[in-house]
């Protein structure tokens, strides 16, 4: 294992210290490295809080700032944060309008965010489950929440900046989640620093269709194929799952897992765009890059989110975070 680390047990805290120092103009660290919070809170605005295991950066800490999250709670690598982290974050960033937890559908995340919500005042939740690859996995009951979580956080974050009420934001988040589908493919495994070896074995000529963002098994193991063939299978699964809703304008988000260069991600975007357009879907908005990663895994996911006029406007709204910045 070759990684830039000092000691396995301090990887997360040292990384968080560096992240907070690099972006000290927009965010700060909570005590004990329990959460990352927006530096300038907006009084009377519903606070958006998310989080999950580390190793998926820039999700979620990189999405803290104007137009997105007010706080993010980082767990250890691929491990859910604990309820006290969410409770302390909520107490810190709630300015009187309540908090909305945005939670990826993994059993540990859901359980711990549920506990935090029950022990806090004025909290509602949106649970994301956009992954069409498998219905249940090693870490979930029901579908996994993956890259579509970023789409929910961006659109709901923009609405929160407009001063919308907590109940309205939950309804919007649930609606965006229902309009969003994702599926990934891995070319290699990832290596968790504490383990020092790949999470799973995969042949040099193989790929895993429908892999999870922790390296969980997907739909099937197959021989490596062309980008067009990979995109066709993934886009067919996404469009088929959306059914009659897969018509009109959409956001196409091609996300890298950490070990795939931008050149290949844009090539995959080109292939996926052609596939969706053949199916009568108009790609009205786009995002390409490594935003919901799996450490050093080579591979990508494709996310399609159907856009009505409101969702498109909120996606376009100004945002200023470490990972996403436009319109400011």
């Amino acid at each position: 294992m070759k990684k830039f680390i000092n000691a396995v047990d301090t990887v997360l805290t040292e990384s968080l210290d560096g992240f907070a120092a690099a972006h000290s103009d927009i965010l700060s660290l909570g005590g004990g490295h329990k959460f990352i919070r927006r530096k300038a809170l907006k009084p009377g605005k519903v606070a958006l809080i998310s989080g999950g295991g580390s190793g998926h950066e820039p999700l979620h800490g990189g999405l803290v700032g104007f137009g997105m999250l007010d706080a993010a709670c980082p767990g250890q690598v691929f491990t859910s944060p604990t309820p006290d982290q969410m409770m302390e974050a909520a107490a810190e960033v709630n300015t009187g309008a309540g908090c909305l937890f945005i939670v990826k559908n993994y059993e540990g995340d859901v359980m711990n965010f549920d506990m935090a919500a029950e022990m806090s005042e004025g909290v509602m939740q949106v649970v994301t489950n956009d992954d069409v690859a498998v219905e249940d996995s090693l870490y979930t009951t029901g579908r996994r929440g993956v890259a579509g979580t970023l789409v929910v956080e961006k659109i709901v974050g923009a609405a929160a900046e407009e001063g919308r009420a907590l109940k309205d934001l939950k309804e919007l988040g649930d609606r965006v989640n229902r309009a969003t589908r994702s599926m990934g493919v891995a070319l290699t495994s990832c290596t968790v620093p504490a383990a020092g070896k790949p999470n799973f074995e995969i042949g040099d000529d193989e790929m895993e269709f429908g892999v999870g963002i922790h390296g969980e098994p997907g739909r099937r193991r197959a021989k490596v194929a062309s980008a067009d063939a990979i995109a066709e299978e993934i886009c067919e699964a996404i469009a088929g799952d959306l059914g009659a809703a897969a018509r009109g304008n959409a956001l196409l988000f091609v996300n890298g897992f950490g070990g795939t260069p931008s050149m290949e991600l844009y090539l995959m975007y080109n292939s996926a765009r052609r596939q969706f357009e053949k199916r009568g879907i108009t790609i009205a908005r786009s995002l390409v890059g490594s935003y919901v990663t799996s450490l050093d895994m080579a591979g990508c996911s494709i996310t399609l989110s159907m856009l009505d006029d409101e969702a498109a406007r909120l996606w376009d709204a100004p945002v200023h975070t470490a990972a996403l910045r436009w319109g400011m």
Side-chain angles (χ1 to χ4, degrees):
M1 179 183 73
K2 295 180 181 179
K3 291 185 178 293
F4 293 112
I5 62 174
N6 292 313
V8 167
D9 58 356
T10 61
V11 168
L12 178 56
T13 56
E14 290 185 74
S15 177
L16 289 171
D17 285 338
F19 176 72
H23 301 288
S24 60
D25 57 325
I26 59 173
L27 53 83
S28 61
L29 274 179
H33 297 83
K34 289 185 177 180
F35 57 88
I36 300 159
R37 57 153 284 179
R38 181 172 164 176
K39 195 164 190 177
L41 299 176
K42 186 174 181 179
K45 184 185 86 68
V46 172
L48 268 58
I49 301 171
S50 192
S54 297
H56 306 304
E57 290 79 8
L59 192 83
H60 291 277
L63 305 177
V64 171
F66 180 87
M68 291 194 77
L69 300 176
D70 293 277
C73 303
Q76 292 296 320
V77 175
F78 294 173
T79 303
S80 172
T82 56
D84 68 293
Q85 290 180 252
M86 283 76 90
M87 292 173 65
E88 290 188 29
E92 183 84 8
V93 301
N94 185 352
T95 63
C99 298
L100 182 67
F101 290 170
I102 300 176
V103 188
K104 300 187 302 301
N105 187 36
Y106 290 93
E107 288 175 352
D109 288 4
V110 170
M111 178 180 68
N112 289 344
F113 272 96
D114 278 350
M115 290 176 63
E118 289 170 3
M119 293 185 285
S120 303
E121 294 290 332
V123 173
M124 300 183 79
Q125 300 189 73
V126 171
V127 177
T128 62
N129 59 351
D130 50 301
D131 191 352
V132 305
V134 292
E135 185 60 32
D136 299 299
S137 76
L138 297 177
Y139 298 88
T140 64
T141 299
R143 293 181 170 182
R144 303 173 290 212
V146 288
T149 308
L150 178 149
V151 180
V152 173
E153 291 175 353
K154 171 63 185 79
I155 291 175
V156 176
E161 293 291 348
E162 295 180 347
R164 297 202 200 175
L166 177 58
K167 180 175 179 291
D168 294 337
L169 294 176
K170 174 179 167 46
E171 290 174 354
L172 175 63
D174 287 339
R175 177 159 60 86
V176 174
N177 178 63
R178 289 193 300 269
T180 304
R181 300 289 190 279
S182 302
M183 184 170 164
V185 59
L187 304 179
T188 70
S189 180
C190 56
T191 301
V192 175
K197 61 181 181 179
N199 261 23
F200 62 92
E201 298 295 329
I202 187 168
D204 290 341
D205 61 344
E206 293 180 323
M207 57 184 175
E208 182 83 22
F209 266 109
V211 70
I213 56 175
H214 309 94
E216 310 98 298
R219 286 187 169 189
R220 65 185 184 91
R221 185 74 57 90
K223 296 297 183 183
V224 174
S226 68
D228 282 345
I230 294 169
E232 181 177 13
E233 180 165 339
I234 292 176
C235 295
E236 178 62 34
I238 289 172
D241 198 84
L242 282 166
R247 294 290 184 274
N249 291 341
L251 162 71
L252 173 56
F253 171 24
V254 174
N255 170 67
F257 286 151
T260 299
S262 293
M263 180 176 69
E264 294 175 34
L265 296 179
Y266 279 107
L267 190 154
M268 283 298 297
Y269 169 86
N270 192 49
S271 295
R273 184 185 185 106
R274 290 199 306 266
Q275 287 294 327
F276 285 129
E277 288 179 342
K278 286 197 304 187
R279 291 166 171 79
I281 298 166
T282 300
I283 303 304
R285 302 291 188 276
S286 303
L287 183 66
V288 180
S290 296
Y291 295 100
V292 183
T293 64
S294 185
L295 293 169
D296 53 350
M297 182 186 287
C300 73
S301 60
I302 295 172
T303 296
L304 190 76
S305 186
M306 306 310 300
L307 296 175
D308 56 23
D309 290 344
E310 179 188 41
R313 180 183 65 79
L314 292 170
W315 177 263
D316 291 341
V319 61
H320 188 87
T321 69
L324 293 182
R325 298 188 183 191
W326 61 70
M328 300 293 288

